[in-house]
Structure formats: structure tokens, C-alpha cells
Amino acid sequence: MKVDIKSVAKEADVSIATVSRVINNNPGVREKTRKKVLKAISDLKYEVNSVASNLRQKKTNTIGIIIGNILSQFDHIIAKSVEDIAYKNGYNILLTSSDNDPEKELKQLKTLKSNRVDGIILAPTGKNVDYINRIIASGTEIVLIDRQIEGLQFDTVQVDNENGAFEAVDFLLGQGYKKIAIITGDLDTTTGKKRLDGYLNALSKSSIPKDDKLIKVGDFTNKSGNILIKELLGNVYRPEAVFVSNLDMTIGALIGIKEIGLTIPGDIGIIGFDDFELSQLLDPPITTVNQPTYKVGSTATELLIKKIEDSNLNIGDTPNIISLNTNLIIRDSTRKFR
Amino acid sequence: MKVDIKSVAKEADVSIATVSRVINNNPGVREKTRKKVLKAISDLKYEVNSVASNLRQKKTNTIGIIIGNILSQFDHIIAKSVEDIAYKNGYNILLTSSDNDPEKELKQLKTLKSNRVDGIILAPTGKNVDYINRIIASGTEIVLIDRQIEGLQFDTVQVDNENGAFEAVDFLLGQGYKKIAIITGDLDTTTGKKRLDGYLNALSKSSIPKDDKLIKVGDFTNKSGNILIKELLGNVYRPEAVFVSNLDMTIGALIGIKEIGLTIPGDIGIIGFDDFELSQLLDPPITTVNQPTYKVGSTATELLIKKIEDSNLNIGDTPNIISLNTNLIIRDSTRKFR
DNA sequence: ATGAAAGCGCTAACAT
DNA sequence: ATGTTAGCGCTTTCAT
């Protein structure tokens, strides 16, 4: 026995329009009528069909998110922050992930579009620019997080990757380390590229020439950090310290160092990008560049909702590129001289 | 310029029924017609409006999930596994969290119901039984994960909590520890309760009397683990080892032990429920009860989808209660005698 | 093989 | 203050 707005109307002996008004708290319903309708709703255990409402209103009160892989700390903190802000504002979350694969990202973008989400929070792979432009042109709002898209200007919330990396490497230099390696991620991503830039800037400031043998480019995965640290440490020409440009690769590198049997910070100093709760429990505690991940997600979502609800916000505007600051957390993995 | 099925029909010079048939790969469309329609779709960059389709079909191809807090490892592994299986089967994910608060859980259940999800994966708080029954009665499928609901029989995928806890504590006893404490979670949850039962069984098997001063009940949060370990270790009457019944509380306890300045396993042995990647990098590496979290989520989702797609599956069936096995991973935090 | 038309459950413009 | 009705964009039955 289905119960729709019509059955409620019949039960309360009013029109469906009146029921709709009550449901949506619209003005212009006599208190007595409202009570009557509310009673019918409760008696019949009626529950709005949002699908019908969404169709009619051309609004779904849903935000789509596309992240890489929710198993990685950055991504699930983002998921949490988006969810919090969305919930607070009455939006639902349609969760998808791209596995950082442009093809899957495109599929997910199309799914979200077909489902007529009101807006999208996207950690972009860097491709699919045409389609993203099409989505925006169609009136669906998008805010990018973490990474920008090469050469294009979309609203973005990110951290100051270049400066964060600079501070990390500059700190290593200050500790007395000279031969410093970097393990960074895909240079097609702003995170991979900018963190490398920061590394190079720091070296350059101290007049240390760039050494290609000390620069490793991975793919931001645990496994890749593990392989690359072994490449760096496996031969005689070995760095004194390494800056690893994200958390997953840092963990892979730590495991690698342990497997090789070297000690931190004596044999090798290490500093990671992105702090995590357990940094302090590791042996030794790891120095990291802490980024305000939750704030990235919450800021992006707040911006997105503002764009959704205030549609004349964009007209003629230049895109909002918001860069949040990182901060260095100094622990024991970078104490060269005790 | 909106583009709907009507514009495609006009462009291709066919009826909207034919366009619909092409979109849905229905038989009975001449190849030549199909081509024509496909061309129109591509020319106009048409994209199906799933909201309309969902309304008409009374099916949304969407699975709702309600977890506690995606920041905790268990929950985001669940999110990942549900997402993987859903994606593989063409379902979308509507993500919500309850914060383990029954009231919020009820709100989320209602949201999911209003949005007419085809099924729900729920990590239940243990309350809201009436409403859950109503949802099921209305034809929306539900599979519980991790916890059952006291005294009720719903389809559930969980781990063998009692045996996992038993093995942990029995192992501690075998290591020579006698005075063993437990930090468990809310006893209204099956996870909190069954893990305590396992602890008691193990003691009982070794004829060690239950000692209420060694039994602490927290709420599964990091903070609660931190507070309770300090209570246990703060006075003279202090246990030799502790079994902590989930990951977050274990981490809180580890931090607490470090704060107090005691060493593991010399001053205090520790074993946690739920393994994690970094266990091996800690000082010392932590012995844990490993649970197949991903498998819990994927099994639950597969079951849910089967129920959604095979609606005569339930008739007269007894509920499926699936318990997966845990396994003990022995590391250095429980070596009493070296 | 294709088309016409009803209707999914709701909202909103218009009428009373 | 309340009711009537069109229509959101699609699928599906029935006719042709």
C-alpha cells in the first residue's frame, strides 16, 4: 500500500497543493489545516518522495564528490569534511572515486551529471578539461580541491605546496644535511610539481646545485615510495636526507628504510608531506609538513554551496584560488646532530 | 538550452519512445534507426536525466550507507569496499554517517528512505528498531555490518568478535601474563559486548577470577582509550597486560602509555583489536587481532545487491548472519619474557 | 519496428 | 486560504 501526497490529501480532506505547502513549510496555511495535514501524515506514516520533488524542482540537494581513493588519509578527511558541511546545510553526498584514473574520473563526472547533483567537489586528475567546462557551462557548480588543472582557472581550494616543500627542505639544510633527495609524485599534478619546485627553490637558496640522481618521481602510492627509497639508498651514492612529498609514499619509504635496515635519522633523515596522528608514535617520531586537510574540504564545500545557492555569484568573477598555509612539525626524524 | 529526450527525438526524427529504447539498449530497434538516434545524442551532447528515470522506474540504482565516522579506519575501509562493489554493479553511493548517535542515525535513515535508495548498508547504533523494520517492510533492503541489533534478527555481516577476543586474551595468558585488563566499548553494541565475553571466557578457561577493577568500558574513541589506560595504570594495582577492543582506543592507549612514560612490553603488554598498516612501524610493533574489514563490507554489499535484484530471495528465509574469522598477528608488544 | 499517450509523485502558477 | 492543473523527463503499455 503505497502512500503518496494524494493519499495524505484524501485522508486530511484537503488538496494535494495544501499538503505540499505543509510539507515545505510554506506560508498561507491556516494553523488548523496544518494540524489536520500533519496528523494525516503521521497516521499514514507518509514520507516525501524526494526523487519526484527533485525532478520537479530541478534541484537535488545533493553534492557529488570525486576523490582518488578513500583509503588514503587525505581523501577520507576530505570525505568527512565535505560530509559535515553538506549535512549542516541540508545536502546529501554522492560519493565516487576516480582511482586517479582520468577515464574513471570521466565516467564518474557523467554519473554525477546524469544524477543532476547541484555541485561537485573534485580532486582532479588533471584531464577531462573539456567535459568539466561543459558541466560548468550547463550550470552545475564545481570546486576543485588539492590540485589545480594545468593552465586552467577553476575555483580551487588547496594548500601552498611550493612553500610547504620549501620550508621542509630549507629546514633540512639548516639541520646540516647537504645531500638531500626528493621523492615526489606525478609531475602532471600540481601537488607533484609544486612540491618539487619548493624543493628546488630551497636548494637554490643555499646554492646547492640540482642533482637529477636525487630526484625521484613516483605516483603518490605507498608502493612507489617503497620502491624509490630503495633506489635512493641501494647504491653507494646515497643521500643524507629525503623529503617525501605525500603521506602514502612516506609510509612506503619508512617501511623500505626498515627493510633495508638503516636507522633514522642517523643513516638517513626523513621528512614527509602531510602529518598523521601516528607520526608521534613511530620510532622515531617523524618530522612532517602538516596540511590543513579538513579545512581544505570544508572551505571547498562552503564555497560550493555558496555558488549553488547564490547563482549570480560567478558572473564576471575571476576564479577563487584559495591556498591554505602548511606548517612544519619538527620531530626526531631530522635530527642530524644530537 | 536544455536538451532532453524530446529534443533528441526531434533531431533524429523519431519518437521519444524510440530514443528511450536506444538509450536503454532495448531490443526492437532497427540498426539504421539506432545509428540515427545515437548520432543525434552525440550531436546534442544529450545526457539522460536519471532523476526522471528513477522516478518513473521506482528504482534509483543507489545504495545508502550509514557508518559511524569515516575518520576511523574501520569505517573508511567499509566505505571503500561498499563503493567498489557498488561501482562494479552499477550502483551509486549515498554516503551518510551517524556519529554513532541514534538520533542522527534515524535522521539519516529517513533521508535515505526519502531518496528512495534501493538498499542500505548500516552499521547500527542498536536503536531505531521500529523504523528499521518499517523500512524493510516498505521493500527497501537493509544489511547490517559490524554489529547486530540486540535481540533482533536482521541480515548481518560481522566478524567473530567473541572468538577473536578469546584468542587474544588466551594468547596473553600463554605468554605468562596473569593480571590482564580489558578496555572495551559500549556494552549495548555487540562489538563491545562480545569482545568482553571473549575476554571473560579466556580468563575462565585458565581459572582466573574476573576482577571488575580490570574491566573498563569506553566508547570506542581514541580519547576514551587514552583516559581509561591512564585509569588502569595510574594506581599501584596495575595490570601486566591489556586487551583493547578496537583500533581507535588502542591508539589512544598507546599515546597514554607513552605519556605516562611506561614501556611496552616490559611495564605493560598490549594487544589491540583491528590491525593497521602502521602497526609494524610502531615502537614496538603491536600485536593485534586482525579483522577482514574489507571483506565485511564487500560481502555485505554483495548480499545487499542480491537482495535488491532478486526480490523473492527473502520470502520465508531466516536472516543471514555471516561471521567472518579474525586472526591474531603476533608482534613485539606482548613479549613478556625475552 | 515504431509511435501515442499515460503516469511516476511532486511543485508552482494560476484561479477561486 | 485553498484548490485545480500543467508539467518536470522519463519508461512502458498498448496500438498500429
Side-chain angles (χ1 to χ4, degrees):
Chain A
M1 25 125 259
K2 90 183 170 186
V3 28
D4 56 12
I5 201 173
K6 219 164 142 187
S7 20
V8 175
K10 188 182 284 177
E11 173 81 13
D13 197 31
V14 296
S15 74
I16 60 169
T18 297
V19 176
S20 175
R21 285 183 190 108
V22 171
I23 293 166
N24 298 292
N25 283 313
N26 287 354
V29 180
R30 231 189 323 161
E31 192 47 33
K32 199 172 150 191
T33 313
R34 175 179 304 277
K35 284 263 166 57
K36 206 167 57 174
V37 172
L38 254 21
K39 179 166 184 327
I41 287 176
S42 147
D43 286 352
L44 299 180
K45 300 189 197 306
Y46 167 75
E47 282 173 308
V48 180
N49 183 330
S50 298
V51 179
S53 165
N54 291 348
L55 173 62
R56 176 60 227 244
Q57 296 191 103
K58 294 173 180 303
K59 176 142 197 319
T60 54
N61 299 303
T62 299
I63 289 173
I65 84 184
I66 305 182
I67 50 188
N69 179 350
I70 199 151
L71 292 183
S72 91
Q73 155 167 299
F74 184 88
D75 286 345
H76 66 253
I77 295 182
I78 291 294
K80 171 68 174 167
S81 61
V82 174
E83 192 211 312
D84 281 353
I85 304 300
Y87 179 76
K88 207 175 291 176
N89 289 275
Y91 285 82
N92 302 317
I93 293 297
L94 214 43
L95 173 74
T96 71
S97 70
S98 67
D99 299 339
N100 297 311
D101 166 15
E103 266 184 55
K104 189 167 179 195
E105 177 183 53
L106 181 59
K107 253 186 105 166
Q108 303 290 30
L109 283 167
K110 287 187 174 171
T111 298
L112 295 180
K113 184 74 195 340
S114 264
N115 281 280
R116 299 297 190 266
V117 296
D118 300 326
I120 297 174
I121 296 285
L122 170 64
T125 63
K127 313 286 184 226
N128 300 315
V129 176
D130 289 349
Y131 193 77
I132 294 174
N133 274 320
R134 228 167 84 191
I135 288 192
I136 293 177
S138 81
T140 304
E141 305 293 348
I142 294 193
V143 172
L144 304 185
I145 50 169
D146 194 35
R147 310 190 272 248
Q148 295 183 257
I149 296 182
E150 192 69 34
L152 278 167
Q153 298 287 302
F154 296 118
D155 288 346
T156 307
V157 181
Q158 60 183 2
V159 301
D160 189 339
N161 292 298
E162 189 166 341
N163 186 58
F166 174 86
E167 284 181 6
V169 177
D170 193 51
F171 170 74
L172 287 174
L173 290 163
Q175 290 292 90
Y177 293 106
K178 291 256 178 312
K179 209 161 133 194
I180 300 173
I182 180 173
I183 297 178
T184 189
D186 188 351
L187 298 182
D188 284 348
T189 64
T190 42
T191 38
K193 178 69 165 55
K194 290 293 178 187
R195 290 170 195 176
L196 175 58
D197 288 348
Y199 162 87
L200 294 173
N201 291 348
L203 291 189
S204 156
K205 178 193 159 208
S206 294
S207 309
I208 295 182
K210 168 180 168 186
D211 179 347
D212 284 337
K213 284 192 294 303
L214 297 180
I215 298 177
K216 297 288 181 181
V217 178
D219 63 3
F220 287 128
T221 63
N222 182 315
K223 191 174 168 187
S224 135
N226 189 263
I227 292 170
L228 295 176
I229 193 76
K230 287 174 178 168
E231 283 184 17
L232 282 170
L233 300 179
N235 56 44
V236 219
Y237 185 78
R238 142 177 136 194
E240 299 162 2
V242 59
F243 164 61
V244 189
S245 89
N246 87 329
L247 176 56
D248 286 330
M249 292 196 301
T250 302
I251 293 170
L254 290 173
I255 293 174
I257 292 170
K258 185 162 196 173
E259 286 166 352
I260 294 176
L262 295 182
T263 61
I264 302 168
D267 298 325
I268 175 86
I270 184 166
I271 184 166
F273 203 107
D274 211 355
D275 192 46
F276 59 117
E277 185 178 27
L278 291 172
S279 292
Q280 56 178 310
L281 288 180
L282 297 186
D283 176 31
I286 302 298
T287 299
T288 59
V289 178
N290 180 42
Q291 54 175 335
T293 310
Y294 189 94
K295 188 84 186 168
V296 169
S298 62
T299 305
T301 310
E302 281 161 1
L303 175 59
L304 183 68
I305 291 176
K306 208 188 307 178
K307 285 168 56 121
I308 291 171
E309 299 187 346
D310 187 359
S311 53
N312 50 359
L313 199 71
N314 306 307
I315 304 172
D317 277 356
T318 51
N320 305 290
I321 310 286
I322 301 173
S323 277
L324 305 177
N325 290 328
T326 60
N327 65 299
L328 196 60
I329 300 183
I330 298 167
R331 299 201 185 87
D332 298 341
S333 66
T334 47
R335 289 186 310 170
K336 187 171 188 191
F337 311 106
R338 332 198 192 195
Chain B
M1 26 125 258
K2 89 183 169 187
V3 28
D4 57 12
I5 201 173
K6 217 165 144 189
S7 19
V8 175
K10 187 180 286 177
E11 173 82 12
D13 197 30
V14 296
S15 74
I16 62 170
T18 297
V19 176
S20 175
R21 285 183 189 108
V22 171
I23 293 166
N24 298 292
N25 283 311
N26 288 355
V29 180
R30 232 190 321 162
E31 192 48 32
K32 200 172 148 192
T33 313
R34 175 179 304 277
K35 284 264 167 54
K36 205 167 57 173
V37 171
L38 254 22
K39 179 166 184 328
I41 287 176
S42 146
D43 286 353
L44 299 179
K45 300 189 196 306
Y46 167 74
E47 283 173 307
V48 181
N49 183 332
S50 299
V51 179
S53 165
N54 292 347
L55 173 62
R56 176 59 229 244
Q57 296 191 100
K58 293 172 180 304
K59 175 140 197 324
T60 54
N61 298 303
T62 299
I63 289 173
I65 83 184
I66 306 182
I67 50 186
N69 179 348
I70 199 152
L71 292 183
S72 91
Q73 156 168 298
F74 184 88
D75 286 346
H76 66 253
I77 295 182
I78 291 293
K80 172 67 174 168
S81 61
V82 174
E83 192 211 310
D84 281 353
I85 304 300
Y87 180 75
K88 207 175 291 174
N89 288 275
Y91 285 82
N92 302 317
I93 294 296
L94 214 44
L95 173 74
T96 71
S97 70
S98 67
D99 299 339
N100 297 311
D101 165 15
E103 266 184 56
K104 189 168 178 193
E105 177 183 55
L106 180 59
K107 251 186 106 165
Q108 303 291 30
L109 284 167
K110 288 187 174 171
T111 298
L112 295 180
K113 183 75 195 340
S114 264
N115 281 280
R116 298 299 190 264
V117 297
D118 300 327
I120 297 174
I121 297 284
L122 170 64
T125 62
K127 313 285 184 222
N128 298 317
V129 176
D130 290 349
Y131 193 76
I132 294 174
N133 274 319
R134 227 167 85 190
I135 288 191
I136 293 177
S138 81
T140 304
E141 305 292 349
I142 294 194
V143 173
L144 304 184
I145 51 169
D146 193 35
R147 311 190 270 247
Q148 294 183 257
I149 296 182
E150 192 68 34
L152 279 166
Q153 298 287 302
F154 296 118
D155 288 347
T156 307
V157 181
Q158 60 184 2
V159 301
D160 190 340
N161 293 298
E162 189 166 341
N163 186 58
F166 174 87
E167 284 181 7
V169 178
D170 194 51
F171 170 75
L172 287 175
L173 290 163
Q175 289 292 92
Y177 293 106
K178 290 255 178 311
K179 207 161 134 192
I180 301 173
I182 180 172
I183 297 177
T184 189
D186 188 351
L187 298 182
D188 283 348
T189 64
T190 43
T191 38
K193 179 69 166 55
K194 291 292 179 190
R195 290 170 195 176
L196 174 59
D197 288 348
Y199 162 86
L200 295 173
N201 292 348
L203 292 189
S204 156
K205 179 194 158 208
S206 293
S207 308
I208 295 182
K210 168 181 168 187
D211 179 347
D212 285 337
K213 284 191 294 302
L214 297 180
I215 298 178
K216 296 287 181 183
V217 179
D219 63 3
F220 288 129
T221 63
N222 183 315
K223 191 174 168 188
S224 136
N226 188 263
I227 292 171
L228 295 176
I229 193 76
K230 287 175 179 170
E231 284 184 17
L232 282 169
L233 300 179
N235 56 45
V236 219
Y237 185 78
R238 136 178 140 196
E240 300 162 2
V242 58
F243 164 61
V244 188
S245 89
N246 87 329
L247 176 56
D248 286 330
M249 291 197 301
T250 302
I251 292 170
L254 290 172
I255 293 174
I257 292 169
K258 186 162 196 173
E259 287 166 350
I260 294 176
L262 295 183
T263 62
I264 302 169
D267 298 324
I268 175 86
I270 183 166
I271 183 165
F273 204 106
D274 211 357
D275 192 46
F276 59 116
E277 186 180 25
L278 292 171
S279 291
Q280 56 177 309
L281 287 180
L282 297 186
D283 175 32
I286 302 299
T287 299
T288 59
V289 178
N290 181 41
Q291 54 175 335
T293 310
Y294 188 95
K295 188 84 186 167
V296 169
S298 62
T299 305
T301 310
E302 281 160 1
L303 175 58
L304 183 68
I305 291 175
K306 209 189 305 177
K307 286 167 57 122
I308 291 170
E309 299 186 346
D310 188 358
S311 54
N312 49 1
L313 198 70
N314 305 307
I315 303 172
D317 275 357
T318 52
N320 305 289
I321 310 285
I322 301 174
S323 276
L324 305 178
N325 290 329
T326 60
N327 65 299
L328 197 60
I329 299 183
I330 298 167
R331 299 201 184 87
D332 299 340
S333 66
T334 48
R335 290 185 309 168
K336 186 170 188 193
F337 311 107
R338 333 200 192 195

